[in-house]
Amino acid sequence: MRIDNEPKLDFDDVLIRPKRSEAPSRASIVLQREYRFLNSEATWKGIPIVASNMDTVGTMAMAEALGPEMMTCLHKHYSEGRLVDFFKNAVHRASTFFTLGIKDEEFEKLRTVKTKVDLRFICVDAANGYTRYFVERVKRIRETFPQLTIMAGNVATPDMVQELLISGAADIVKIGIGPGSVCTTRLMTGVGYPQLSAIIECADAAHGLRGHVCADGGCRSPGDVVKAFAAGADFVMLGGMLAGVDECEGEWAEKEGKRVALAFYGMSSRKALDKYSGGRRDYRACEGREIEIQYKGPVKETIQEITGGIRSACAYVGATRLKDLSKCTTFVICSRPTGKD
Ligand code: 5GP
């Protein structure tokens, strides 16, 4: 057993110090980023916010509303037929990830869909991205489809980011073990890593190799999204913050014919396991829970709050582009959690 004595930080442990600067006007701040990916050598330009591949949030309606400027990871439970129809539309292809896990049948589904439409982005998703099997699976996908842009995860430490970028030949590594709003991994297993430090350390490792990272989980407010970008995230993935919008699918509670709340649950919760895996297996604990999220209206409104927060933060630190936010940022460590006002 070892103890790492260096303090590790979560979003709530820090604030961003305002700086004297030629404050750019908020409207002129450029939120678009342009990336060239390490292994696929493809390029992408847009606002690097990604809807999570949870079945309530990673929907085709979400992809239609966010794309092509922002990205969506479709959940992996759509049928082949629906996916083929969806990806036939070139506009959606340019900003939407096809998601798969590590099962052989999921690989076969990817192969089938790929023969029918020209996919560009895929997300290989496993709760635990640390296994050799996972790296081998990512590598196999890369060998089979050299031109696909591959996002793979989740991990939370630089060693595994490097492993996935080099051995697995991923383009983007997804960062986050345990921070999710409906995740109970930390409670059930004691395993995890404070998300802000995970992003800082993993972004450093990835950028040294010309790879990219997507911060996944733990953002509860526009300020958290800002902190994730300021910590070095190239993309920020959102689940709970985008749950409860019109574009979500699932069980809505209604009052007088109007939506009031959405049942939002982790993809390893009992609810999701019952729905998709025929119930929980004995050896596997549920690592997700179910909550209710108030109805929020169209996703565009939530996105406006987030992009407004990012613009304002850039103005506070003197960054004219989102690209410069990280290098303009000094985090101050707070003695009490910052949370919400
Ligand atoms: P949020 O933005 O809601 O804080 O986090 C979303 C992320 O939580 C997802 O993209 C995914 O990585 C993670 N997640 C979703 N469902 C579960 C679950 O049941 N268990 C765990 N451990 N993580 C989950």
Side-chain angles (χ1 to χ4, degrees):
M1 191 275 290
R2 285 185 49 212
I3 295 180
D4 180 348
N5 268 320
E6 198 179 310
K8 302 293 175 190
L9 304 168
D10 250 316
F11 294 129
D12 268 3
D13 297 322
V14 300
L15 287 170
I16 297 169
R17 190 166 74 188
K19 278 202 182 109
R20 192 167 171 188
S21 67
E22 293 286 317
S25 87
R26 289 179 199 189
S28 70
I29 289 162
V30 179
L31 299 186
Q32 281 80 9
R33 299 231 31 200
E34 196 164 358
Y35 297 126
R36 175 176 288 277
F37 299 112
L38 172 65
N39 287 303
S40 68
E41 294 191 5
T43 56
W44 179 81
K45 188 176 175 186
I47 301 175
I49 290 174
V50 190
S52 165
N53 50 292
M54 299 169 79
D55 67 349
T56 43
V57 172
T59 65
M60 291 178 178
M62 189 70 82
E64 268 161 28
L66 295 184
E69 184 139 61
M70 281 166 261
M71 304 186 99
T72 296
C73 266
L74 290 182
H75 69 73
K76 65 181 190 179
H77 301 290
Y78 282 117
S79 67
E80 270 172 30
R82 285 199 69 188
L83 288 162
V84 169
D85 282 348
F86 179 85
F87 281 108
K88 272 188 180 148
N89 183 329
V91 175
H92 302 143
R93 213 160 53 217
S95 60
T96 309
F97 287 81
F98 172 106
T99 301
L100 73 162
I102 52 176
K103 291 188 196 137
D104 286 340
E105 69 227 44
E106 294 175 297
F107 183 73
E108 289 311 318
K109 184 173 168 189
L110 167 66
R111 205 196 279 276
T112 311
V113 173
K114 184 78 178 68
T115 57
K116 296 183 179 161
V117 289
D118 182 23
L119 290 175
R120 289 183 52 190
F121 298 97
I122 64 157
C123 171
V124 194
D125 195 36
N128 175 2
Y130 280 78
T131 64
R132 181 194 290 261
Y133 187 79
F134 181 70
V135 180
E136 289 299 320
R137 180 45 57 112
V138 176
K139 187 173 162 203
R140 183 162 165 221
I141 296 171
R142 167 61 68 217
E143 285 164 358
T144 316
F145 305 110
Q147 277 150 13
L148 277 180
T149 296
I150 302 177
M151 176 152 74
N154 279 22
V155 300
T157 49
D159 53 331
M160 218 46 211
V161 170
Q162 288 160 343
E163 176 75 359
L164 283 165
L165 290 173
I166 297 170
S167 308
D171 296 292
I172 309 164
V173 181
K174 201 145 67 78
I175 310 301
I177 299 284
S181 57
V182 281
C183 164
T184 55
T185 295
R186 291 174 182 179
L187 284 175
M188 295 303 294
T189 68
V191 175
Y193 208 93
Q195 183 69 347
L196 189 88
S197 286
I199 300 168
I200 293 171
E201 293 167 21
C202 292
D204 182 57
H207 296 163
L209 295 168
R210 289 190 305 113
H212 294 88
V213 291
C214 176
D216 175 22
C219 290
R220 289 159 304 148
S221 61
D224 290 343
V225 180
V226 170
K227 289 174 188 175
F229 281 123
D234 302 295
F235 294 88
V236 177
M237 178 174 272
L238 303 174
M241 278 187 77
L242 299 184
V245 301
D246 282 323
E247 290 76 4
C248 288
E249 281 169 17
E251 292 167 26
W252 289 94
E254 297 195 350
K255 211 173 183 180
E256 290 156 12
K258 291 203 176 112
R259 290 173 165 180
V260 287
L262 175 75
F264 178 59
Y265 46 87
M267 296 312 292
S268 312
S269 63
R270 170 173 288 277
K271 188 172 180 105
L273 296 180
D274 283 348
K275 198 165 168 187
Y276 298 115
S277 312
R280 176 166 64 103
R281 302 218 184 90
D282 283 345
Y283 61 86
R284 189 176 159 182
C286 291
E287 289 178 21
R289 63 199 172 97
E290 182 182 347
I291 59 174
E292 267 208 343
I293 301 248
Q294 296 303 304
Y295 173 64
K296 297 175 184 161
V299 71
K300 286 264 143 74
E301 288 174 13
T302 302
I303 289 292
Q304 252 172 25
E305 283 182 13
I306 296 171
T307 52
I310 301 172
R311 282 180 194 285
S312 194
C314 286
Y316 269 117
V317 298
T320 51
R321 305 175 295 179
L322 174 58
K323 183 171 192 230
D324 300 327
L325 176 62
S326 183
K327 63 173 177 252
C328 293
T329 290
T330 303
F331 283 120
V332 287
I333 298 177
C334 304
S335 47
R336 271 189 281 152
T338 56
K340 299 192 184 87
D341 290 332

